Amino acid sequence: MTALEKATGDVVLKFEPFVLHVLCQELQDAQLLHSVAVNSGFRNSGITVGRGGKIMMAVRSTHCLEVPLSHKGKLMVSEEYMEFLIDVANRKMEEN
């Protein structure tokens, strides 16, 4: 909270979810992995095929969090809300 109160610009609490990139030899392999990932709860997963034919499967979690804390140096949250956000972020990390 002390650091937030001293901030002069915008401060954001951001939690990035789990991402696993898997290079696949065949499209069918990527499709199978995609199906397993989505059925396991990793709904932001996807398949990318590059120009050279490289097939990449990305397994992505949906556990994102992005919350503005201050704007132009003005604190926008209370200490109680910060404690709540930290608890939420820590739970997301455990779920990851």
Side-chain angles (χ1 to χ4, degrees), residues 5-94:
E5 291 167 358
K6 293 179 183 179
T8 58
D10 294 352
V11 176
V12 176
L13 173 68
K14 186 171 185 178
F15 177 82
E16 296 280 339
F18 166 83
V19 178
L20 172 68
H21 290 98
V22 181
L23 183 61
C24 299
Q25 287 186 328
E26 302 290 332
L27 183 57
Q28 295 82 357
D29 299 330
Q31 289 170 327
L32 177 60
L33 180 56
H34 181 263
S35 177
V36 170
V38 170
N39 290 333
S40 297
F42 296 97
R43 296 186 310 260
N44 286 348
S45 300
I47 299 170
T48 304
V49 180
R51 290 184 187 150
K54 183 165 59 168
I55 303 165
M56 186 69 66
M57 168 57 204
V59 180
R60 292 189 188 106
S61 169
T62 58
H63 299 102
C64 312
L65 180 66
E66 187 169 356
V67 181
L69 303 176
S70 71
H71 179 63
K72 296 182 181 177
K74 181 180 182 213
L75 186 61
M76 305 300 287
V77 298
S78 67
E79 187 169 348
E80 180 182 6
Y81 188 64
M82 270 302 301
E83 290 172 6
F84 169 74
L85 288 176
I86 291 167
D87 184 53
V88 170
N90 285 337
R91 277 188 273 132
K92 287 181 180 289
M93 178 63 98
E94 287 176 16

